[in-house]
Amino acid sequence: MMRQFELVERVQRYNPETDEDLLNRAYVYAMKAHGGQKRASGDPYFSHPLEVAAILTDLHMDDATIAAALLHDVVEDTDHTLIEVEQIFGADIAKLVDGVTKLNRLELVSKKATQAENLRKLLLAISTDVRVLLIKLADRLHNIRTLHHVPPAKRSRIAEETLEIYAPLAARMGMQHLREEFENICFEAIQPEAFATITKKMALLRVKNAGLMGKITNELQHKLHEQGIAAHVSWREKSSFSIWRKMEHKTLSFEQLSDVYGFRIAVDSIPSCYQALGVIHTTYPMVPGRFKDYISIPKENDYRSIHTTIVGPGKQRVELQVRTQEMHEIAEYGIAAHALYKAGISSGNDRLAAESRAFAWLKRTVDMLVAGDSPEEFLEHTKLELFQDQVFCFTPKGKLIAMPRGAKPMDFAYALHTTIGNECIGCKINGQITPLTVDLRNGDEVEILTAKGHVPMAAWESLVVTGKARAAIRRATRLAERARYAALGRQLLKRFFQRHARTYDEAQIAAVASKLARQSVEEVLAAVGQGDIIANDVVSAVYPDYAKSPEGMMRLTAEQRKDHTGQPVDSTDQLKALSIQGIDNDIPIEFAPHGGAIPGDRIVGILTPNRGITIYPIHAPELAALEDQIERWVDVRWAPEAEGVVRFPTQIRAIVLNEPGVLAQVAQVIADTDGNIQNLRITSSSRPVCEMLIDLEVYNVKHLARILALLKTKTVVTDAQRVFG
Ligand code: MN
């Protein structure tokens, strides 16, 4: 545990005028007050406020804040009162302690409907004095640094709350350093496996790229020095959480250097930033669309830097930030970079408001909050950017619905009610008919249009972002799919019964369902539609005399079954055919095997006499040979409503490490994402890697992309690509 004089020394290092006596008194008072109390770790409780104070010395806070940090849990957790704290330490410190105590009592993560209200209280509590917020953030930081001592159930609740509220709040205040630590610790607590995978992969890359990073750094530095620019070039790894978030949102490949490492050019003045940029852009080609000038237009949280990506030394894509030292400090420490110990901040609010856009935002927001009537209205008016990962929308009656950022009207519909989600066919946003595919924005008023009995398309499952919507869509589309198979099964059975001169009666089938190991007629019909039960077995079950007849005894081959029923038994082919538009229904459709087309691909149909139309993806190599037979090409397109109903065959090539257990890991990823492996073979193998070709079935291009992205997160997988033909 840190000793009294050590704490004082830490403060003296940045603030020689510190009130040593005050810090000593607060130290002793808090230590005595917490007495024999223990933390979950078994450490004396006092170690916690002490560490919180230490974190605040890193942020160069004033004496009152450090003292209040030492005292921050005294009122909450011991029998000492706020009045006593005020008598001993004065009104300023007491107010800070009171602010933090009140914050602790706020149940921040409660029902979504009251989140706006809680946020309002939180902002009110911190608005009068930003130091309350900084103590609270330091408090939370120490609590999550020691999170592993907390029981698992409570642990994930704290981690989730931190990710939802405190990390965005730190980000909004420009405290990138703090935000990253929040995110990484919580990421590990909530998704330990993903965290381990990414950490391991980063470690491998670190070894692999060790020399390269130094080389790039030196070369950039050299080029700048040649042009007379005094610059310091450095590189860093991005945080594991930010890499994960990118992998989730885009299908990025881990191997791209620019996705994992960032380079920084530090210079001494703003003109030098632009000179350095000039040198870089004339030496190396820039990657279009990646250039951003946050010096000219700073971010709302005061962040300033120039961002660009170049094709740099060794043809590597290199992501660069150009900034001055001052910009760097604000980027890392945000609002705390404004030397808060100097002015005695309670009197320095105006200075801070002038210096910091983030603080000005806080002040402005709170002013509006005080003037506004309801928290909902407040959210609507401020277009609150605090919850960077959330979006708040309203029903026409004014009910507030909070959803993750990126939420679609469909998520909103499911948040209201599962039936509303299922029957959602359109929406009005702020009174205007709007496509269901838009991202909702803060303050949007959303009206959901429904149609009774409507079933959501399966493709929606990959578009929505909330778990509730995803699960409900999956359930609804499975039921609908089953109903479709049942209808097909009914058709097959009716024809089969007719052909064998037996009466088709579903009550009779219900009576024998258990003999066929099914619970209901529906299930029997669906099983026939799916080809799990053959029609012959159903007739046999209903009519025992038929079962004993020669034709009943006959085990039919697939080809014969086709003859008997006039229908191919593999109903999946029919469902697949349903997903193609643009051709006469009577022409049989088939799909090129393996590297064939999957929904979302650009496709073309090739007419083959006596056989029908074969669907190919436009990239298929087979098409090259048909280029001069233009009369065989048919324009076809996917039927949007059929997407996601049935799986289509495709093929991927994966380069994996040649070690035990690799196969199982690859298969697991595919199974977990609801893909279906048909065949898997090793095509070349020489230590340390081998190449495998996997035939699998997927619902559509997005589904395949998700599988490929997840495969690439595995340490054992070095590459995974789709194969055409
Ligand atoms: Mn605490």
Side-chain angles (χ1 to χ4, degrees):
M1 203 156 72
M2 195 188 310
R3 311 272 290 277
Q4 217 166 316
F5 73 89
E6 288 173 286
L7 180 70
V8 173
E9 273 177 12
R10 285 176 81 127
V11 182
Q12 276 171 335
R13 247 173 264 153
Y14 63 86
N15 182 9
E17 271 148 43
T18 179
D19 183 349
E20 216 175 307
D21 177 54
L22 170 71
L23 296 183
N24 284 329
R25 280 190 298 131
Y27 186 104
V28 172
Y29 181 87
M31 185 169 64
K32 282 192 181 151
H34 288 294
Q37 289 174 347
K38 293 266 193 273
R39 298 266 292 169
S41 59
D43 289 338
Y45 192 90
F46 179 60
S47 65
H48 165 65
L50 189 54
E51 283 303 323
V52 174
I55 290 168
L56 289 163
T57 64
D58 291 338
L59 298 178
H60 294 191
M61 297 305 297
D62 65 329
D63 291 340
T65 310
I66 306 293
L70 291 168
L71 300 166
H72 82 270
D73 277 332
V74 162
V75 176
E76 179 84 355
D77 293 338
T78 76
D79 11 299
H80 295 259
T81 63
L82 188 65
I83 297 168
E84 192 184 302
V85 171
E86 183 172 351
Q87 279 163 356
I88 302 175
F89 296 99
D92 189 31
I93 291 174
K95 248 172 70 188
L96 293 175
V97 173
D98 188 36
V100 179
T101 308
K102 280 192 181 134
L103 279 189
N104 286 342
R105 289 179 188 157
L106 269 185
E107 269 280 322
L108 283 173
V109 171
S110 51
K111 285 200 173 125
K112 293 289 182 194
T114 64
Q115 200 162 30
E117 181 57 34
N118 280 330
L119 173 64
R120 194 177 77 110
K121 286 188 198 147
L122 169 78
L123 289 176
L124 276 176
I126 61 184
S127 65
T128 44
D129 201 325
V130 74
R131 294 175 301 177
V132 174
L133 172 62
L134 296 173
I135 297 172
K136 184 65 210 171
L137 291 174
D139 176 44
R140 178 51 63 115
L141 182 60
H142 182 245
N143 281 337
I144 63 160
R145 277 180 182 169
T146 51
L147 199 57
H148 47 279
H149 296 298
V150 171
K154 200 174 162 202
R155 195 185 303 165
S156 59
R157 189 186 60 76
I158 294 175
E160 270 162 29
E161 183 187 72
T162 305
L163 270 189
E164 272 182 34
I165 296 193
Y166 292 98
L169 202 49
R172 195 60 191 76
M173 292 292 112
M175 305 171 83
Q176 184 61 18
H177 200 67
L178 201 62
R179 175 222 190 135
E180 278 190 5
E181 193 172 347
F182 276 145
E183 288 178 342
N184 284 339
I185 297 177
C186 297
F187 175 38
E188 183 177 10
I190 296 171
Q191 303 202 64
E193 244 175 75
F195 178 84
T197 311
I198 289 188
T199 312
K200 212 167 141 194
K201 202 142 186 179
M202 283 167 81
L204 285 175
L205 276 187
R206 203 175 301 143
V207 173
K208 189 178 139 201
N209 290 322
L212 181 60
M213 307 312 285
K215 238 180 88 187
I216 293 174
T217 308
N218 288 340
E219 189 175 325
L220 291 174
Q221 179 122 7
H222 180 68
K223 297 275 181 207
L224 289 163
H225 284 183
E226 260 180 6
Q227 302 295 319
I229 297 166
H232 177 71
V233 182
S234 59
W235 63 275
R236 84 207 142 83
E237 275 175 5
K238 294 183 190 166
S239 82
S240 54
F241 181 73
S242 71
I243 291 174
W244 171 246
R245 198 165 34 192
K246 265 202 198 168
M247 295 185 89
E248 268 191 327
H249 286 179
K250 304 174 199 158
T251 44
L252 87 84
S253 112
F254 204 101
E255 311 305 333
Q256 265 181 0
L257 211 54
S258 64
D259 293 326
V260 182
Y261 301 100
F263 287 77
R264 235 168 237 160
I265 299 178
V267 292
D268 54 8
S269 69
I270 292 180
S272 310
C273 290
Y274 290 99
Q275 280 162 9
L277 180 72
V279 173
I280 295 294
H281 275 186
T282 46
T283 313
Y284 306 100
M286 72 179 279
V287 177
R290 300 294 300 266
F291 174 75
K292 288 192 185 101
D293 186 348
Y294 295 119
I295 293 179
S296 176
I297 305 172
K299 285 195 190 179
E300 278 284 303
N301 63 7
D302 301 326
Y303 177 87
R304 294 199 294 167
S305 279
I306 295 172
H307 290 191
T308 188
T309 303
I310 53 168
V311 182
K315 295 270 175 283
Q316 293 287 346
R317 273 166 72 117
V318 170
E319 224 177 276
L320 277 169
Q321 298 171 327
V322 188
R323 53 169 73 152
T324 66
Q325 184 56 32
E326 190 200 347
M327 290 174 196
H328 178 65
E329 266 161 35
I330 290 185
E332 293 289 296
Y333 298 106
I335 197 154
H338 294 268
L340 295 184
Y341 69 93
K342 272 185 189 156
I345 200 65
S346 41
S347 63
N349 264 359
D350 292 340
R351 169 174 74 90
L352 200 55
E355 280 181 15
S356 160
R357 281 163 64 100
F359 185 73
W361 167 83
L362 188 63
K363 241 177 113 18
R364 211 170 49 236
T365 306
V366 170
D367 288 346
M368 230 179 279
L369 185 61
V370 174
D373 292 335
S374 66
E376 285 79 12
E377 194 182 324
F378 150 69
L379 280 174
E380 191 176 10
H381 288 314
T382 55
K383 302 272 180 201
L384 192 67
E385 293 292 314
L386 171 60
F387 288 104
Q388 294 189 332
D389 301 331
Q390 286 200 67
V391 56
F392 296 87
C393 300
F394 299 87
T395 66
K397 284 184 180 161
K399 189 179 170 207
L400 177 73
I401 306 285
M403 286 160 295
R405 195 157 283 270
K408 304 278 189 282
M410 205 70 140
D411 290 293
F412 185 90
Y414 278 106
L416 295 177
H417 196 276
T418 304
T419 312
I420 299 182
N422 284 341
E423 299 187 338
C424 168
I425 51 159
C427 71
K428 281 186 185 175
I429 295 179
N430 304 321
Q432 299 280 320
I433 295 271
T434 310
L436 285 169
T437 44
V438 299
D439 285 359
L440 293 174
R441 290 166 312 169
N442 268 322
D444 276 348
E445 184 189 292
V446 187
E447 184 184 345
I448 298 296
L449 310 173
T450 57
K452 266 229 159 331
H454 178 79
V455 178
M457 292 182 234
W460 273 107
E461 196 188 318
S462 54
L463 286 175
V464 296
V465 300
T466 52
K468 186 181 177 195
R470 246 183 221 151
I473 291 170
R474 191 173 309 161
R475 211 175 320 116
T477 51
R478 288 238 168 103
L479 281 176
E481 188 186 343
R482 213 182 73 162
R484 224 165 298 163
Y485 279 126
L488 189 62
R490 179 176 289 120
Q491 225 177 30
L492 293 172
L493 280 179
K494 274 186 180 166
R495 289 185 190 209
F496 195 87
F497 274 71
Q498 208 178 10
R499 186 169 212 96
H500 295 281
R502 308 282 164 160
T503 314
Y504 177 81
D505 178 358
E506 291 191 2
Q508 286 179 317
I509 298 175
V512 298
S514 62
K515 268 204 240 171
L516 296 161
R518 294 298 189 282
Q519 310 275 347
S520 63
V521 192
E522 268 289 297
E523 283 189 20
V524 173
L525 298 182
V528 173
Q530 273 173 305
D532 292 342
I533 299 181
I534 57 173
N536 200 48
D537 290 348
V538 181
V539 187
S540 301
V542 175
Y543 298 100
D545 63 308
Y546 170 84
K548 294 193 188 86
S549 73
E551 54 182 346
M553 305 278 284
M554 198 165 66
R555 276 281 159 193
L556 302 173
T557 66
E559 203 42 47
Q560 285 167 323
R561 268 184 264 155
K562 201 164 162 177
D563 289 347
H564 274 247
T565 59
Q567 295 264 3
V569 155
D570 186 359
S571 56
T572 3
D573 279 349
Q574 291 204 328
L575 282 172
K576 279 181 199 159
L578 279 180
S579 43
I580 297 296
Q581 284 182 338
I583 31 183
D584 195 315
N585 278 336
D586 294 328
I587 305 177
I589 293 175
E590 61 177 35
F591 286 78
H594 308 308
I598 55 180
D601 280 331
R602 286 189 54 208
I603 47 174
V604 65
I606 296 294
L607 202 60
T608 308
N610 217 356
R611 188 138 163 228
I613 290 174
T614 309
I615 307 295
Y616 288 95
I618 201 86
H619 314 280
E622 294 96 304
L623 292 175
L626 298 160
E627 244 156 31
D628 51 357
Q629 306 176 48
I630 201 69
E631 73 283 7
R632 294 180 58 193
W633 291 54
V634 186
D635 281 338
V636 288
R637 61 184 184 277
W638 297 102
E641 66 276 10
E643 194 175 327
V645 172
V646 61
R647 295 193 193 89
F648 289 78
T650 184
Q651 190 174 56
I652 61 177
R653 174 183 292 119
I655 312 289
V656 299
L657 297 185
N658 200 347
E659 61 184 45
V662 169
L663 223 70
Q665 284 195 48
V666 169
Q668 192 61 43
V669 167
I670 295 174
D672 285 348
T673 44
D674 201 22
N676 187 24
I677 299 183
Q678 293 288 13
N679 191 10
L680 187 155
R681 57 201 177 280
I682 310 288
T683 47
S684 82
S685 172
S686 57
R687 291 203 172 273
V689 295
C690 64
E691 183 195 68
M692 51 172 80
L693 275 179
I694 305 166
D695 295 335
L696 78 167
E697 290 184 324
V698 297
Y699 287 109
N700 50 38
V701 170
K702 275 220 175 80
H703 184 200
L704 177 60
R706 197 162 77 226
I707 292 174
L708 290 173
L710 276 164
L711 281 174
K712 286 185 218 162
T713 66
K714 293 286 170 192
T715 314
V716 295
V717 177
T718 57
D719 192 26
Q721 300 291 342
R722 179 172 175 191
V723 182
F724 291 98

